[in-house]
Amino acid sequence: MHVLPANPNPCDTHLHATLQRIDQLANQDVEMTAPLSESSTFLILDTNILLHHFDVLSQFVDDAEKHSLPIVVVIPGVVVYELDGQKNRDGLAWFARRASTWLLEKIKERRMVKGQANEETCKRSGNWKIRVPGEVFERMNDALILDCCLYFGRSRRTFICSADKNLCIESTTAGIPTLSPTRNWSSREIAWTIFREYGIIDVNHFGSYKVSYRDPKTNAAAQPSAPTTDSDDMMIVDDDESVAEVPQPSHALDLLHLQVIDHFTRLLIELVGRVGGPEIHNCKYGAAASQYAPQWQKSGRPYTGWTLQEIWEYLEEKRKTSTTSPRIDIFLSKPYSCRGARRGQDWSRRDWDVALMGLARFAEVWEEDSIGESLGVLEPHVEGIFAMRMRPTGTSTF
Protein backbone atom coordinates (compact mmCIF):
# COMPACT_ATOMS: atom_id res chain seq x y z
CA MET A 1 0.00 0.00 0.00
CA HIS A 2 1.28 3.44 -0.92
CA VAL A 3 1.75 5.61 2.17
CA LEU A 4 3.84 8.75 2.39
CA PRO A 5 7.00 7.57 4.15
CA ALA A 6 8.02 8.88 7.55
CA ASN A 7 10.04 12.05 7.37
CA PRO A 8 13.21 11.76 9.49
CA ASN A 9 14.83 14.86 7.98
CA PRO A 10 13.81 18.06 9.83
CA CYS A 11 14.82 20.08 6.74
CA ASP A 12 11.84 18.63 4.85
CA THR A 13 9.13 19.10 7.48
CA HIS A 14 7.05 21.63 5.56
CA LEU A 15 7.24 19.87 2.19
CA HIS A 16 6.21 16.58 3.78
CA ALA A 17 3.31 18.25 5.60
CA THR A 18 2.21 19.97 2.38
CA LEU A 19 2.09 16.70 0.45
CA GLN A 20 0.25 14.97 3.30
CA ARG A 21 -2.30 17.79 3.29
CA ILE A 22 -2.78 17.42 -0.48
CA ASP A 23 -3.43 13.71 0.00
CA GLN A 24 -5.95 14.44 2.77
CA LEU A 25 -7.80 17.07 0.73
CA ALA A 26 -8.06 14.69 -2.22
CA ASN A 27 -9.99 12.27 -0.02
CA GLN A 28 -12.38 14.74 1.57
CA ASP A 29 -15.97 14.47 0.42
CA VAL A 30 -16.10 18.01 -0.97
CA GLU A 31 -17.30 18.95 -4.43
CA MET A 32 -15.51 21.29 -6.80
CA THR A 33 -16.80 24.87 -6.79
CA ALA A 34 -18.16 24.55 -10.34
CA PRO A 35 -20.15 21.35 -11.03
CA LEU A 36 -19.02 19.14 -13.91
CA SER A 37 -20.83 19.58 -17.20
CA GLU A 38 -21.17 17.18 -20.11
CA SER A 39 -18.48 19.16 -21.94
CA SER A 40 -15.99 19.02 -19.05
CA THR A 41 -12.52 17.68 -19.81
CA PHE A 42 -10.09 16.01 -17.42
CA LEU A 43 -6.36 16.73 -17.79
CA ILE A 44 -4.24 14.18 -15.89
CA LEU A 45 -0.72 15.32 -15.00
CA ASP A 46 2.51 13.37 -14.84
CA THR A 47 5.22 14.35 -12.34
CA ASN A 48 7.65 15.55 -15.03
CA ILE A 49 5.19 18.30 -16.04
CA LEU A 50 5.10 19.69 -12.51
CA LEU A 51 8.87 19.56 -12.15
CA HIS A 52 10.06 20.69 -15.56
CA HIS A 53 7.14 22.60 -17.10
CA PHE A 54 5.49 24.12 -14.06
CA ASP A 55 5.38 27.68 -15.38
CA VAL A 56 3.52 26.62 -18.54
CA LEU A 57 1.05 24.58 -16.52
CA SER A 58 0.34 27.30 -13.96
CA GLN A 59 -0.13 29.86 -16.76
CA PHE A 60 -2.62 27.55 -18.46
CA VAL A 61 -4.60 27.05 -15.25
CA ASP A 62 -4.67 30.83 -14.65
CA ASP A 63 -5.86 31.44 -18.22
CA ALA A 64 -8.49 28.68 -18.05
CA GLU A 65 -9.81 29.94 -14.71
CA LYS A 66 -10.03 33.48 -16.05
CA HIS A 67 -12.31 32.29 -18.84
CA SER A 68 -14.20 29.71 -16.72
CA LEU A 69 -13.42 26.86 -19.09
CA PRO A 70 -14.88 23.41 -18.35
CA ILE A 71 -11.66 21.62 -17.47
CA VAL A 72 -10.43 19.85 -14.35
CA VAL A 73 -6.72 19.26 -13.82
CA VAL A 74 -6.25 16.02 -11.88
CA ILE A 75 -3.14 15.13 -9.88
CA PRO A 76 -2.78 11.34 -9.62
CA GLY A 77 -2.09 10.21 -6.07
CA VAL A 78 1.18 8.56 -7.07
CA VAL A 79 2.41 11.90 -8.47
CA VAL A 80 2.13 13.38 -4.97
CA TYR A 81 4.33 10.53 -3.72
CA GLU A 82 6.83 11.08 -6.52
CA LEU A 83 7.10 14.77 -5.58
CA ASP A 84 7.97 13.67 -2.06
CA GLY A 85 10.77 11.56 -3.54
CA GLN A 86 12.37 14.63 -5.12
CA LYS A 87 12.91 16.51 -1.86
CA ASN A 88 16.57 15.51 -1.61
CA ARG A 89 17.40 15.36 -5.31
CA ASP A 90 20.07 17.81 -6.41
CA GLY A 91 18.53 20.49 -8.57
CA LEU A 92 14.96 19.16 -8.36
CA ALA A 93 14.13 19.93 -4.72
CA TRP A 94 13.49 23.62 -5.53
CA PHE A 95 11.08 22.72 -8.33
CA ALA A 96 9.31 20.11 -6.17
CA ARG A 97 8.64 22.73 -3.50
CA ARG A 98 7.35 25.25 -6.02
CA ALA A 99 4.97 22.68 -7.45
CA SER A 100 3.72 21.32 -4.12
CA THR A 101 3.02 24.78 -2.69
CA TRP A 102 1.05 25.74 -5.81
CA LEU A 103 -0.85 22.43 -5.79
CA LEU A 104 -1.96 22.86 -2.19
CA GLU A 105 -3.20 26.37 -2.91
CA LYS A 106 -5.12 25.32 -6.01
CA ILE A 107 -6.63 22.16 -4.51
CA LYS A 108 -7.85 24.16 -1.50
CA GLU A 109 -9.56 26.60 -3.89
CA ARG A 110 -11.53 23.68 -5.46
CA ARG A 111 -11.89 25.58 -8.73
CA MET A 112 -9.98 23.69 -11.42
CA VAL A 113 -7.36 21.47 -9.75
CA LYS A 114 -8.09 18.34 -7.72
CA GLY A 115 -6.21 15.37 -6.33
CA GLN A 116 -7.13 11.77 -7.06
CA ALA A 117 -9.14 10.21 -4.25
CA ASN A 118 -8.28 6.70 -3.11
CA GLU A 119 -11.44 5.23 -4.63
CA GLU A 120 -11.01 6.94 -8.02
CA THR A 121 -9.45 3.87 -9.60
CA CYS A 122 -10.24 0.99 -11.94
CA LYS A 123 -8.36 -1.47 -9.71
CA ARG A 124 -10.28 -4.41 -8.28
CA SER A 125 -9.20 -3.40 -4.80
CA GLY A 126 -11.26 -0.21 -5.09
CA ASN A 127 -8.31 1.79 -3.75
CA TRP A 128 -5.40 2.87 -5.94
CA LYS A 129 -3.03 2.60 -2.96
CA ILE A 130 -3.68 -1.12 -2.42
CA ARG A 131 -1.79 -3.54 -4.63
CA VAL A 132 -3.72 -6.45 -6.07
CA PRO A 133 -2.34 -9.92 -6.88
CA GLY A 134 -0.54 -10.05 -10.19
CA GLU A 135 0.56 -6.41 -10.29
CA VAL A 136 4.08 -6.01 -11.63
CA PHE A 137 6.29 -3.71 -9.57
CA GLU A 138 8.30 -2.57 -12.62
CA ARG A 139 6.98 0.80 -13.86
CA MET A 140 4.26 0.60 -11.21
CA ASN A 141 3.96 4.39 -10.98
CA ASP A 142 3.26 4.72 -14.70
CA ALA A 143 0.62 2.02 -14.38
CA LEU A 144 -1.05 3.94 -11.57
CA ILE A 145 -1.08 7.16 -13.61
CA LEU A 146 -2.66 5.28 -16.53
CA ASP A 147 -5.18 3.75 -14.12
CA CYS A 148 -6.12 7.28 -13.03
CA CYS A 149 -6.61 8.28 -16.68
CA LEU A 150 -8.79 5.26 -17.41
CA TYR A 151 -10.96 5.96 -14.36
CA PHE A 152 -11.72 9.56 -15.32
CA GLY A 153 -11.96 8.57 -18.99
CA ARG A 154 -15.00 6.46 -18.14
CA SER A 155 -17.22 9.52 -17.72
CA ARG A 156 -15.61 12.45 -19.53
CA ARG A 157 -13.15 13.35 -22.25
CA THR A 158 -9.71 12.83 -20.72
CA PHE A 159 -6.15 13.75 -21.70
CA ILE A 160 -2.86 12.76 -20.13
CA CYS A 161 -0.15 15.41 -20.02
CA SER A 162 3.31 13.82 -19.85
CA ALA A 163 6.82 14.02 -21.26
CA ASP A 164 7.30 10.28 -20.76
CA LYS A 165 7.21 8.69 -24.23
CA ASN A 166 6.53 5.18 -22.96
CA LEU A 167 3.63 6.34 -20.83
CA CYS A 168 2.21 8.33 -23.75
CA ILE A 169 2.41 5.26 -26.02
CA GLU A 170 0.63 3.12 -23.42
CA SER A 171 -2.03 5.80 -22.93
CA THR A 172 -2.65 6.16 -26.66
CA THR A 173 -2.98 2.38 -26.95
CA ALA A 174 -5.54 2.47 -24.14
CA GLY A 175 -7.54 5.16 -25.94
CA ILE A 176 -6.40 8.15 -23.85
CA PRO A 177 -5.25 11.11 -25.99
CA THR A 178 -1.88 12.56 -24.99
CA LEU A 179 -0.45 16.03 -24.65
CA SER A 180 3.35 16.36 -24.50
CA PRO A 181 5.61 19.42 -24.18
CA THR A 182 7.15 20.83 -27.36
CA ARG A 183 10.15 23.10 -27.74
CA ASN A 184 8.08 26.27 -27.45
CA TRP A 185 5.31 24.84 -25.31
CA SER A 186 2.80 27.32 -23.98
CA SER A 187 -0.60 27.79 -22.38
CA ARG A 188 -1.88 28.68 -25.83
CA GLU A 189 -0.72 25.37 -27.31
CA ILE A 190 -2.36 23.39 -24.50
CA ALA A 191 -5.65 25.24 -25.05
CA TRP A 192 -5.51 24.64 -28.79
CA THR A 193 -4.86 20.91 -28.35
CA ILE A 194 -7.70 20.41 -25.88
CA PHE A 195 -10.36 22.75 -27.23
CA ARG A 196 -9.75 23.07 -30.97
CA GLU A 197 -12.55 20.65 -31.90
CA TYR A 198 -15.12 22.87 -30.18
CA GLY A 199 -14.36 25.81 -32.47
CA ILE A 200 -15.39 28.38 -29.85
CA ILE A 201 -12.15 29.00 -27.99
CA ASP A 202 -10.06 32.00 -28.93
CA VAL A 203 -6.57 30.73 -28.18
CA ASN A 204 -5.19 34.27 -28.39
CA HIS A 205 -6.57 34.71 -24.87
CA PHE A 206 -3.97 32.20 -23.67
CA GLY A 207 -0.35 33.00 -22.90
CA SER A 208 2.31 32.41 -25.54
CA TYR A 209 5.70 30.77 -25.06
CA LYS A 210 7.88 32.09 -22.23
CA VAL A 211 11.35 30.87 -21.41
CA SER A 212 11.71 29.62 -17.81
CA TYR A 213 14.62 28.97 -15.49
CA ARG A 214 15.74 25.37 -15.19
CA ASP A 215 18.75 23.90 -13.48
CA PRO A 216 21.58 24.53 -16.00
CA LYS A 217 23.44 21.43 -14.73
CA THR A 218 20.64 19.10 -15.80
CA ASN A 219 18.34 20.70 -18.35
CA ALA A 220 19.04 24.20 -19.59
CA ALA A 221 16.01 26.23 -20.57
CA ALA A 222 15.27 26.58 -24.23
CA GLN A 223 16.20 29.76 -25.98
CA PRO A 224 13.40 32.25 -26.58
CA SER A 225 12.08 32.03 -30.11
CA ALA A 226 9.06 33.01 -32.09
CA PRO A 227 5.89 31.03 -31.35
CA THR A 228 4.91 28.47 -33.92
CA THR A 229 2.54 29.69 -36.59
CA ASP A 230 -1.10 29.44 -35.60
CA SER A 231 -3.03 26.66 -37.24
CA ASP A 232 -6.00 27.51 -39.41
CA ASP A 233 -8.11 25.72 -36.81
CA MET A 234 -7.28 28.38 -34.23
CA MET A 235 -9.94 31.05 -33.98
CA ILE A 236 -8.69 34.64 -34.05
CA VAL A 237 -11.45 36.90 -32.81
CA ASP A 238 -10.26 40.19 -31.40
CA ASP A 239 -6.59 40.98 -31.05
CA ASP A 240 -7.34 43.83 -28.65
CA GLU A 241 -8.64 41.35 -26.10
CA SER A 242 -5.86 38.79 -26.44
CA VAL A 243 -3.16 38.23 -23.86
CA ALA A 244 -0.66 41.06 -23.95
CA GLU A 245 2.74 40.10 -25.28
CA VAL A 246 5.60 41.57 -23.25
CA PRO A 247 9.36 41.38 -23.71
CA GLN A 248 10.63 38.14 -22.23
CA PRO A 249 13.61 37.89 -19.85
CA SER A 250 16.42 35.65 -21.00
CA HIS A 251 19.11 36.14 -18.36
CA ALA A 252 19.35 33.27 -15.87
CA LEU A 253 19.17 35.63 -12.88
CA ASP A 254 16.03 37.27 -14.27
CA LEU A 255 14.37 33.89 -14.76
CA LEU A 256 15.29 32.55 -11.32
CA HIS A 257 14.29 35.85 -9.70
CA LEU A 258 10.78 35.56 -11.16
CA GLN A 259 10.45 32.08 -9.67
CA VAL A 260 11.70 33.36 -6.32
CA ILE A 261 9.11 36.15 -6.37
CA ASP A 262 6.29 33.78 -7.26
CA HIS A 263 7.16 31.10 -4.72
CA PHE A 264 7.92 33.26 -1.68
CA THR A 265 4.95 35.54 -2.35
CA ARG A 266 2.74 32.45 -2.22
CA LEU A 267 4.33 31.37 1.08
CA LEU A 268 3.98 34.84 2.60
CA ILE A 269 0.30 35.05 1.60
CA GLU A 270 -0.21 31.65 3.21
CA LEU A 271 1.44 32.97 6.38
CA VAL A 272 -0.80 36.06 6.42
CA GLY A 273 -3.85 33.83 6.09
CA ARG A 274 -2.77 31.76 9.08
CA VAL A 275 -1.84 34.57 11.45
CA GLY A 276 -4.48 37.09 10.39
CA GLY A 277 -7.62 35.36 11.57
CA PRO A 278 -10.86 37.41 11.73
CA GLU A 279 -8.84 40.62 11.46
CA ILE A 280 -8.28 40.05 7.74
CA HIS A 281 -11.04 37.57 6.91
CA ASN A 282 -13.88 39.70 8.30
CA CYS A 283 -12.54 43.24 8.18
CA LYS A 284 -13.91 46.12 6.11
CA TYR A 285 -11.81 46.96 3.07
CA GLY A 286 -11.53 49.96 0.78
CA ALA A 287 -13.95 52.84 1.23
CA ALA A 288 -15.47 51.17 4.30
CA ALA A 289 -12.12 51.26 6.11
CA SER A 290 -11.23 54.04 8.53
CA GLN A 291 -9.01 56.85 7.29
CA TYR A 292 -6.53 55.77 9.95
CA ALA A 293 -6.52 52.16 8.76
CA PRO A 294 -3.22 50.64 7.48
CA GLN A 295 -2.54 50.59 3.76
CA TRP A 296 -3.36 46.90 3.40
CA GLN A 297 -6.88 47.59 4.65
CA LYS A 298 -7.36 50.69 2.48
CA SER A 299 -6.38 48.79 -0.65
CA GLY A 300 -9.87 47.37 -1.08
CA ARG A 301 -8.48 43.92 -1.89
CA PRO A 302 -8.61 40.69 0.14
CA TYR A 303 -5.23 39.60 1.46
CA THR A 304 -4.73 37.08 -1.35
CA GLY A 305 -4.46 40.04 -3.74
CA TRP A 306 -2.15 42.22 -1.68
CA THR A 307 1.10 43.59 -3.06
CA LEU A 308 4.38 42.54 -1.47
CA GLN A 309 4.56 45.90 0.29
CA GLU A 310 1.11 45.37 1.83
CA ILE A 311 1.97 41.80 2.84
CA TRP A 312 5.23 42.92 4.39
CA GLU A 313 3.63 45.90 6.17
CA TYR A 314 1.05 43.63 7.74
CA LEU A 315 3.55 41.01 8.92
CA GLU A 316 5.96 43.64 10.22
CA GLU A 317 3.14 45.10 12.32
CA LYS A 318 2.83 41.71 13.99
CA ARG A 319 6.51 40.91 14.48
CA LYS A 320 9.24 43.38 13.73
CA THR A 321 12.30 42.02 11.93
CA SER A 322 15.55 43.75 11.03
CA THR A 323 15.58 46.05 8.01
CA THR A 324 17.87 45.12 5.14
CA SER A 325 19.27 46.99 2.18
CA PRO A 326 17.81 46.14 -0.26
CA ARG A 327 14.52 45.76 1.55
CA ILE A 328 13.09 42.25 1.26
CA ASP A 329 9.70 43.47 0.06
CA ILE A 330 11.38 45.43 -2.77
CA PHE A 331 13.61 42.50 -3.75
CA LEU A 332 10.53 40.25 -3.91
CA SER A 333 8.49 42.67 -6.02
CA LYS A 334 8.09 42.11 -9.74
CA PRO A 335 10.53 44.16 -11.82
CA TYR A 336 9.43 47.79 -12.18
CA SER A 337 6.17 47.17 -10.28
CA CYS A 338 7.15 49.69 -7.60
CA ARG A 339 9.92 52.13 -6.78
CA GLY A 340 13.24 50.28 -6.57
CA ALA A 341 12.00 46.95 -7.95
CA ARG A 342 14.20 45.58 -10.72
CA ARG A 343 15.24 42.52 -12.69
CA GLY A 344 17.22 39.70 -11.14
CA GLN A 345 20.36 40.57 -13.09
CA ASP A 346 20.18 44.17 -11.86
CA TRP A 347 20.63 43.08 -8.25
CA SER A 348 24.29 42.53 -7.34
CA ARG A 349 25.57 39.34 -5.75
CA ARG A 350 25.65 41.24 -2.46
CA ASP A 351 22.01 42.30 -2.95
CA TRP A 352 20.95 38.69 -3.50
CA ASP A 353 22.87 37.53 -0.43
CA VAL A 354 21.54 40.30 1.82
CA ALA A 355 17.92 39.87 0.72
CA LEU A 356 17.92 36.08 1.06
CA MET A 357 19.74 36.17 4.42
CA GLY A 358 17.21 38.73 5.60
CA LEU A 359 14.42 36.41 4.50
CA ALA A 360 16.11 33.60 6.44
CA ARG A 361 16.15 35.75 9.59
CA PHE A 362 12.49 36.55 8.97
CA ALA A 363 11.75 32.80 8.79
CA GLU A 364 13.54 32.29 12.12
CA VAL A 365 11.57 35.08 13.82
CA TRP A 366 8.30 33.63 12.56
CA GLU A 367 9.47 30.01 12.97
CA GLU A 368 8.30 29.51 9.40
CA ASP A 369 9.68 26.22 8.10
CA SER A 370 8.22 26.72 4.63
CA ILE A 371 10.47 29.70 3.95
CA GLY A 372 13.57 28.28 5.62
CA GLU A 373 13.37 24.98 3.75
CA SER A 374 12.80 26.71 0.42
CA LEU A 375 15.80 28.96 0.95
CA GLY A 376 17.94 25.89 1.60
CA VAL A 377 17.08 24.27 -1.73
CA LEU A 378 17.23 27.59 -3.59
CA GLU A 379 20.81 28.34 -2.52
CA PRO A 380 22.55 25.89 -4.91
CA HIS A 381 20.76 27.50 -7.87
CA VAL A 382 21.87 31.00 -6.87
CA GLU A 383 25.41 29.77 -6.28
CA GLY A 384 25.40 27.92 -9.59
CA ILE A 385 24.34 30.92 -11.64
CA PHE A 386 26.85 33.28 -10.06
CA ALA A 387 29.58 30.65 -10.60
CA MET A 388 28.82 30.53 -14.32
CA ARG A 389 30.72 32.56 -16.88
CA MET A 390 28.15 35.29 -17.29
CA ARG A 391 27.45 37.01 -20.58
CA PRO A 392 26.75 40.75 -20.54
CA THR A 393 23.48 41.63 -18.82
CA GLY A 394 20.48 41.71 -21.08
CA THR A 395 21.54 38.62 -23.02
CA SER A 396 21.01 34.95 -22.41
CA THR A 397 23.42 32.99 -20.21
CA PHE A 398 22.54 29.68 -21.84
Side-chain angles (χ1 to χ4, degrees):
M1 181 170 179
H2 283 71
V3 179
L4 276 171
N7 184 47
N9 190 344
C11 295
D12 301 320
T13 301
H14 180 263
L15 174 63
H16 194 75
T18 297
L19 296 172
Q20 283 186 321
R21 182 62 178 145
I22 290 172
D23 187 54
Q24 292 167 359
L25 288 170
N27 288 286
Q28 288 183 352
D29 187 18
V30 180
E31 297 293 330
M32 301 291 283
T33 303
L36 289 176
S37 66
E38 289 300 320
S39 62
S40 293
T41 297
F42 289 113
L43 180 63
I44 316 298
L45 298 185
D46 194 357
T47 313
N48 49 60
I49 301 300
L50 289 165
L51 290 174
H52 301 298
H53 303 278
F54 171 76
D55 293 311
V56 176
L57 171 68
S58 61
Q59 178 67 61
F60 171 73
V61 171
D62 287 346
D63 292 340
E65 287 180 343
K66 187 183 303 180
H67 298 290
S68 302
L69 295 181
I71 186 165
V72 177
V73 176
V74 180
I75 314 302
V78 72
V79 167
V80 175
Y81 289 70
E82 287 186 337
L83 284 175
D84 183 69
Q86 307 305 318
K87 59 177 176 268
N88 295 316
R89 290 278 300 276
D90 289 343
L92 290 180
W94 165 248
F95 302 106
R97 278 167 173 76
R98 289 189 70 214
S100 61
T101 301
W102 177 84
L103 282 177
L104 179 58
E105 175 187 293
K106 288 299 178 182
I107 290 174
K108 286 167 68 175
E109 289 175 356
R110 295 186 294 109
R111 292 185 62 190
M112 197 165 283
V113 180
K114 75 178 295 295
Q116 176 191 12
N118 292 344
E119 69 274 10
E120 292 175 330
T121 178
C122 297
K123 296 175 67 172
R124 295 193 306 274
S125 64
N127 186 326
W128 72 263
K129 293 180 179 179
I130 300 176
R131 293 186 62 183
V132 297
E135 281 188 319
V136 180
F137 186 76
E138 184 181 1
R139 301 191 69 238
M140 172 65 74
N141 289 358
D142 282 359
L144 289 172
I145 294 173
L146 180 56
D147 170 73
C148 179
C149 294
L150 293 172
Y151 173 84
F152 286 98
R154 288 173 168 178
S155 60
R156 297 290 191 284
R157 186 164 167 263
T158 298
F159 286 80
I160 181 170
C161 187
S162 174
D164 184 327
K165 292 182 179 179
N166 290 329
L167 178 56
C168 286
I169 291 172
E170 291 176 355
S171 299
T172 300
T173 301
I176 302 294
T178 63
L179 201 164
S180 298
T182 60
R183 184 173 183 272
N184 293 331
W185 207 40
S186 66
S187 170
R188 184 174 299 173
E189 185 175 338
I190 297 175
W192 179 77
T193 302
I194 294 175
F195 296 109
R196 59 186 170 185
E197 70 181 57
Y198 290 101
I200 58 173
I201 302 298
D202 176 12
V203 296
N204 290 301
H205 289 302
F206 289 76
S208 59
Y209 169 72
K210 296 180 178 67
V211 66
S212 297
Y213 169 79
R214 301 183 195 172
D215 184 4
K217 297 190 298 297
T218 57
N219 192 3
Q223 295 290 334
S225 59
T228 54
T229 304
D230 288 346
S231 164
D232 292 338
D233 292 334
M234 293 186 180
M235 287 189 62
I236 301 176
V237 179
D238 186 351
D239 290 340
D240 292 336
E241 294 182 355
S242 62
V243 174
E245 304 295 344
V246 296
Q248 295 302 313
S250 59
H251 196 285
L253 284 174
D254 293 348
L255 299 170
L256 181 60
H257 186 233
L258 291 175
Q259 292 188 359
V260 167
I261 291 171
D262 175 76
H263 181 65
F264 287 105
T265 297
R266 188 167 280 117
L267 293 179
L268 290 169
I269 289 175
E270 183 181 300
L271 175 59
V272 169
R274 290 203 307 273
V275 305
E279 179 182 40
I280 60 170
H281 294 286
N282 302 325
C283 76
K284 296 178 179 179
Y285 287 101
S290 164
Q291 62 176 321
Y292 303 107
Q295 186 59 41
W296 57 264
Q297 192 171 347
K298 292 179 181 178
S299 70
R301 299 184 301 275
Y303 75 94
T304 52
W306 288 356
T307 65
L308 244 298
Q309 287 70 46
E310 291 161 350
I311 294 170
W312 203 254
E313 176 192 29
Y314 179 81
L315 293 172
E316 284 291 284
E317 287 177 357
K318 301 299 180 184
R319 294 184 191 178
K320 188 69 176 176
T321 57
S322 57
T323 303
T324 60
S325 180
R327 284 168 32 194
I328 298 172
D329 58 323
I330 300 299
F331 181 81
L332 291 179
S333 294
K334 292 182 179 179
Y336 316 122
S337 63
C338 64
R339 186 181 181 87
R342 61 193 72 171
R343 301 174 301 176
Q345 64 176 298
D346 296 329
W347 296 107
S348 68
R349 175 60 194 266
R350 176 192 173 279
D351 292 334
W352 276 81
D353 288 344
V354 169
L356 295 181
M357 285 190 293
L359 194 55
R361 287 194 294 271
F362 171 89
E364 291 175 357
V365 169
W366 280 93
E367 299 180 336
E368 189 59 27
D369 291 336
S370 65
I371 294 175
E373 289 180 21
S374 293
L375 287 169
V377 296
L378 169 65
E379 182 180 4
H381 294 275
V382 177
E383 293 285 343
I385 292 177
F386 276 104
M388 293 169 63
R389 178 178 296 176
M390 307 291 283
R391 296 183 183 181
T393 58
T395 60
S396 175
T397 59
F398 300 110

